[in-house]
Amino acid sequence: MLTRVAWHNFILLSSRNFSTSAIMERIPSRWPRPVWHAPWKNYRVISGHLGWVRSIAFDPSNMWFCTGSADRTIKIWDVGTGRLKLTLTGHIEQVRGLAVSNKHTYMFSAGDDKQVKCWDLEQNKVIRSYHGHLSGVYCLALHPTIDILLTGGRDSVCRVWDIRSKMQIHALSGHENTVCSVFTRPTDPQVITGSHDTTIKFWDLRYGKTMVTLTHHKKSVRAMALHPTENCFASASADNIKKFNLPKGEFVHNMLSQQKTIINAMAVNEDGVMVTGGDNGSLWFWDWKSGHNFQQSQTIVQPGSLDSEAGIYASSYDVTGTRLITCEADKTIKMWKEDENATPETHPLHFRPPKDIRRF
């Protein structure tokens, strides 16, 4: 039997035989190598709104998309040409949330006026309103399989509505500040919310109770993105962008760079290209698998706007994932696509695995 002193000396001798550099060299091999992605470029700028553009949603047929603005209107645009098809009025404050149903001819909107509206797109008018929020409504999502709508707002509550009866099914309360991001999925947890209180909550939709609270962020969680095919999601805050597994919410890793701004918008496509848009007009592109930041763009404000209006408030890929649309503070909507002339030779992948393997 080794005495305690002898054991201590053995440990010290053993540790001297392994240099720290050798340990650090072995660690990065565990980090996934990023996939090469072509850089994205802006190919169209659409003007028409008279205020900040705050929200966007695509039609499931990919023929048109709608945007909501601080000018209190919702505008519907043709995806192919970027032409304005229709302007809808009815909100009396800025429109912060939009969603288009894939089962009905309905579009849903929510805004700072506490109102949540259901629009019939055959008649182009409001057919239902959902009353219950005590303050501005900041985010909105449609359940993929059940006829329910989720809205989150400044009253710190995420409300669950029956689309047809206008009944409030649940008031999901537990956040201590504004609920500013929400997404839904067909299996548990069916509802995930992010808040200015820095937490992310998973909700049990049957009982209206919290299942899990994630406390990894230190600042407001203003944007989240569910991967379209994998069972994981990312969340963005001014402190970092983090990736989590579903359904339990295990922390995977931070993204390998810091945007150092308030991130309002986030989206990911099936090719594993994630995009984040910031208050300072920065648009960063990431490889989903590795967290590698492969492109940093800066939006250009349109003539007549101030440099301080280079802010990105919402973003979304189209149904195919080949077009990206950003909604901006200079009152414009910008369309982006991959540079078809780029190759791994013209745009090589500059990737260094992180030296520090601590992922938290």
Side-chain angles (χ1 to χ4, degrees), residues 174-194:
H175 281 297
E176 293 171 7
N177 208 325
T178 303
V179 177
C180 45
S181 49
V182 60
F183 69 85
T184 70
R185 48 199 296 273
T187 54
D188 282 338
Q190 294 178 57
V191 181
I192 291 110
T193 54

